[in-house]
Amino acid sequence: MDEAAEVVVRVRADGATELRVNGVFVMDDVETSSERLLAELVLDLGAREVLVGGLGLGYTAQALLAGDVERLVVAELHADVVAAVRAGAGAGPAVLDDPRCTVAVGDVRDVVAAQPDASLDAVLLDVDNGPDFLVHETNAAVYAADGLADAARVLRPGGTLAVWSMADSAPLRARLAALLDDVGAVAVPVDLQGRSEHYWVLTGRAR
Ligand SMILES: C[S@@+](CC[C@H](N)C(=O)[O-])C[C@H]1O[C@@H](n2cnc3c(N)ncnc32)[C@H](O)[C@@H]1O
């Protein structure tokens, strides 16, 4: 955990709520369809026990808890992000108060490492902009072969690893295909201040 991180949640002049960590934009609540889709993809596949990294403004976790999830572990690096959601930012405290949800403050790699083999139906990774546009270089390890292998280790056969990314990534697809079956990428259309763009969710199923 990075105790020194400066976490700021503010309401901008356009009315949007924005999350910044150490002065760097993390996300806002203008366009959360891809964060929700990350959850909906695995709900559609019947996931009941899920690990998510990280919390952000809580929309992925909220979408999972709106479904049939029975156990949700959320890994969030910064305690102050959790505090902001508890204070009402984004999806708000209902996510944290849901008895199915446990928040572990720490690096998602450590939280995954603490999970038993084949114990989860899905692992959802949304801790950075994706492997090729990192805000935090230390997160390269999350998307590297070893990090993905550990995420695959905790999945039950047929379980899903899903990775949010601001762009499709052939190298990430290749690393996923070395570990998982049915690797694919879903393009999520988003409207970014009038520009039509796509975010991406890359997925694979455990063998
Ligand atoms: C883009 S936000 C996640 C958005 C989230 N899916 C939602 O629906 O709001 C990324 C979050 O991951 C956290 N984070 C960054 N690196 C992390 C890491 N290595 N382990 C756990 N959390 C991390 C950030 O502090 C931030 O809260």
Side-chain angles (χ1 to χ4, degrees):
M1 176 181 18
D2 179 7
E3 296 283 2
E6 184 200 23
V7 173
V8 173
V9 176
R10 68 175 183 118
V11 178
R12 296 193 307 242
D14 64 359
T17 296
E18 177 180 283
L19 170 64
R20 285 181 176 263
V21 176
N22 293 333
V24 177
F25 175 83
V26 175
M27 67 179 294
D28 62 30
D29 65 354
V30 174
E31 176 59 82
T32 59
S33 55
S34 62
E35 286 86 351
R36 294 174 185 281
L37 183 88
L38 193 57
E40 288 157 6
L41 283 175
V42 299
L43 288 172
D44 288 349
L45 294 169
R48 296 288 183 271
E49 298 188 83
V50 181
L51 188 150
V52 174
L55 178 65
L57 291 174
Y59 294 108
T60 302
Q62 183 185 52
L64 286 165
L65 294 167
D68 292 332
V69 162
E70 293 166 3
R71 183 168 71 94
L72 172 61
V73 178
V74 180
E76 170 52 51
L77 193 58
H78 302 299
D80 284 350
V81 170
V82 183
V85 172
R86 175 154 301 288
V95 166
L96 308 177
D97 290 338
D98 191 304
R100 296 170 293 168
C101 179
T102 304
V103 178
V105 175
D107 193 303
V108 67
R109 288 174 296 161
D110 297 330
V111 178
V112 169
Q115 307 302 312
D117 292 356
S119 58
L120 294 165
D121 300 311
V123 173
L124 312 182
L125 298 175
D126 182 11
V127 293
D128 211 299
N129 283 335
D132 306 328
F133 302 92
L134 293 176
V135 175
H136 304 289
E137 271 309 316
T138 52
N139 278 336
V142 174
Y143 305 102
D146 285 356
L148 298 173
D150 206 33
R153 174 189 64 78
V154 305
L155 291 172
R156 299 188 173 108
T160 302
L161 174 58
V163 181
W164 189 99
S165 181
M166 68 181 293
D168 192 8
S169 168
L172 177 59
R173 284 195 198 212
R175 290 197 293 280
L176 291 172
L179 296 163
L180 302 164
D181 291 337
D182 302 333
V183 169
V186 178
V188 189
V190 289
D191 182 334
L192 301 179
Q193 296 174 325
R195 279 182 300 119
S196 293
E197 301 277 357
H198 289 88
Y199 290 147
W200 293 79
V201 178
L202 281 73
T203 60
R205 308 284 300 268
R207 294 172 178 151

